[in-house]
């Protein structure tokens, strides 16, 4: 039977890392996967994570199972971080939060939860979006539709078309939004646009799912949560997938959460019970270490302050690399306008490079960029910027 299997293509993002690792060029550059690098091209463990691990090593008494929904203390901290601790839905106990295996499994748990409980089958994702979104929902049995998001001519949001498509989404469908630092474009909605989207979602009876994997990497932890909070404060039922891969650097700990904001605390209990059914039948219960780290940091005033500074430093470095990238391209004689890169937010930039140009960069210069032209700006350093911009100037 197994001989009938067909070879699957490599993953468009993680497959690039595999190819990068095999490349023997000592000057190779990986701007593919969304992993933060410091200026020495390392993905360091946060100081606060190291400190929390030390505390845990001494304090931890058991490796017994966590509850199906994960660490309750972690879930409470996550709600506060994402929604704000004084948010009425938190105070009214209308929020069901479960710990998940990174942000990806939060998406899958959501998909299974909806499919088994309300039978909704259609999800609207932005065009473009993270490469994995469509696949996750397809495998879970959803139909995928797209709404316009990016205007390739202006390198900006295709707001009018996005809005008119959202306004025509049938009641009961799901719309997937990016909470901040849109992946792959780096283009976010402003406050007014978030309010408009909230209004459309509410009026049309659409269920919003917000993928929120980059809190803190755009403009700051609180600033980046504005859009999510506008939706939550205006729409009665909202789901949010949170990830701590980037803002705690906990990539390989697979630490995330699914947050469901409900109309009443009674509904919330039912939703939570069904989230647990999905988790129990998928992976039983989540791993503890990442969640314990997050909780230890957020629970200590001192560690939390230090962590906020660490996140801010990443954010500042990314912004400075955006600026340098644009300046260096000019310096190398590139006349094409790349100034839009400075306006984009978070780790990624939709560079406008074509697939052919991306492939040339890979083959001729060992520079790895996702085929869509998405660049991980957090992988640019003052050491690789000249080689990178030189190469780009040659393929344009
Ligand atoms: C990315 O988009 O590069 C990250 O979210 C990592 C991943 O899992 O794809």
């Amino acid at each position: 039977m197994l001989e009938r299997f067909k070879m699957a293509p490599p993953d468009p993002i993680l497959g690039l890392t595999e190819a990068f690792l095999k490349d023997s060029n000592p000057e190779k550059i990986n701007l593919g996967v969304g992993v933060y690098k410091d200026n020495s091209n390392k993905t360091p463990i946060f100081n606060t994570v190291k400190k929390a691990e030390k505390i845990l090593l001494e304090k931890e008494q058991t490796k017994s199972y966590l509850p199906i929904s994960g660490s309750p203390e972690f879930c409470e901290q996550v709600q506060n971080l994402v929604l704000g601790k004084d948010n009425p839905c938190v105070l009214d106990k209308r929020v069901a939060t479960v710990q998940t295996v990174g942000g990806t499994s939060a998406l899958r748990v959501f998909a299974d939860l909806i499919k088994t409980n309300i039978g909704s089958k259609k999800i609207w994702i932005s065009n473009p979006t993270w490469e994995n979104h469509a696949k996750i929902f397809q495998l879970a049995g959803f139909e995928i539709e797209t709404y316009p998001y990016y205007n390739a001519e202006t390198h900006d949001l295709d707001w009018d078309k996005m809005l008119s498509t959202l306004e025509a989404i049938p009641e009961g469908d799901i719309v997937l939004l990016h909470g901040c630092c849109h992946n792959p474009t780096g283009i976010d909605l402003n406050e007014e646009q978030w309010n408009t989207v909230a209004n459309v979602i509410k009026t049309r009876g659409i269920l919003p799912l917000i993928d929120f994997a980059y809190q803190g990497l755009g403009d700051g932890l609180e600033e980046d949560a504005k859009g999510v909070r506008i939706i939550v404060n205006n729409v009665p039922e909202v789901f949010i997938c949170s990830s701590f891969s980037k803002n705690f650097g906990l990539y390989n700990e697979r630490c995330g959460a699914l947050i469901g904001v409900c109309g009443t605390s009674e509904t919330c209990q039912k939703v939570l019970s069904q989230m647990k059914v999905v988790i129990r039948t998928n992976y039983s219960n989540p791993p503890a270490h990442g969640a314990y780290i997050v909780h230890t940091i957020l629970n200590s005033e001192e560690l939390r302050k230090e962590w906020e500074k660490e996140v801010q430093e990443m954010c500042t470095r990314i912004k400075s690399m955006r600026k340098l990238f644009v300046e260096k391209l000019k310096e190398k004689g590139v006349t094409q306008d790349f100034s839009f890169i400075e306006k984009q937010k978070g780790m990624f930039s939709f560079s406008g490079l074509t697939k052919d140009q991306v492939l040339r960069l890979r083959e001729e210069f060992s520079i790895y960029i996702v085929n869509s032209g998405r660049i991980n700006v957090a992988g640019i350093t003052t050491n690789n910027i000249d080689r990178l911009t030189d190469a780009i100037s040659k393929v344009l």
Side-chain angles (χ1 to χ4, degrees), residues 200-216:
V200 172
I201 287 175
K202 189 175 163 193
T203 326
R204 295 210 56 85
I206 306 165
L207 182 63
L209 168 66
I210 309 178
D211 193 347
F212 197 38
Y214 296 88
Q215 184 178 5

Side-chain angles (χ1 to χ4, degrees), residues 182-197:
H182 184 272
N183 180 3
T185 67
I187 301 164
D188 287 341
L189 304 183
N190 63 31
E191 232 173 293
E192 198 188 328
Q193 288 163 333
W194 275 113
N195 275 303
T196 308
V197 168

Side-chain angles (χ1 to χ4, degrees), residues 12 46 60 82 91 137 140-141 159 165 172 234 260 274 289 332 335 361 363 365 380-381 390 392:
F46 285 31
E60 225 176 8
V82 172
L91 299 175
F137 284 94
W159 172 241
T165 308
N234 289 284
Q274 293 294 344
H289 194 61
K332 309 280 170 186
T335 50
L361 285 172
E363 275 146 29
F365 302 93
I380 303 177
T381 68
D390 262 340
I392 292 180

Side-chain angles (χ1 to χ4, degrees), residues 132-259:
N132 217 12
H133 277 149
K135 288 182 204 154
I136 290 170
F137 284 94
Q138 257 155 12
L139 266 183
F142 279 75
E143 260 177 72
I144 316 289
E145 294 274 0
T146 58
Y147 59 87
Y149 193 81
Y150 176 70
N151 182 330
E153 269 164 41
T154 58
H155 300 282
D156 212 339
L157 187 68
D158 205 347
W159 172 241
D160 290 344
K161 284 202 191 136
M162 172 180 173
L163 187 59
S164 58
T165 308
L166 295 187
E167 280 169 341
I169 294 182
E171 184 182 344
D173 281 5
I174 297 157
V175 66
L176 196 161
L177 302 161
H178 295 230
C180 68
C181 309
H182 184 272
N183 180 3
T185 67
I187 301 164
D188 287 341
L189 304 183
N190 63 31
E191 232 173 293
E192 198 188 328
Q193 288 163 333
W194 275 113
N195 275 303
T196 308
V197 168
N199 199 24
V200 172
I201 287 175
K202 189 175 163 193
T203 326
R204 295 210 56 85
I206 306 165
L207 182 63
L209 168 66
I210 309 178
D211 193 347
F212 197 38
Y214 296 88
Q215 184 178 5
L217 274 82
D219 285 321
L221 288 156
E222 284 296 299
E223 293 84 342
D224 290 351
K226 266 190 196 148
V228 172
R229 293 180 191 171
I230 288 174
I231 299 287
V232 166
N233 295 342
N234 289 284
V235 182
E237 297 177 340
V238 184
F239 281 87
I240 303 150
C241 297
S242 210
S243 163
F244 304 102
S245 295
K246 330 284 167 167
N247 55 13
F248 281 84
L250 290 173
Y251 307 91
N252 66 10
E253 299 295 350
R254 309 310 296 138
C255 184
L258 175 64
I259 301 172

Side-chain angles (χ1 to χ4, degrees), residues 11 13-14 32-35 104 130 132 183 214 246 348 374:
D11 182 81
I13 297 173
L14 299 185
V33 66
V35 170
T104 306
W130 181 45
N132 217 12
N183 180 3
Y214 296 88
K246 330 284 167 167
F348 303 119
R374 185 195 83 169

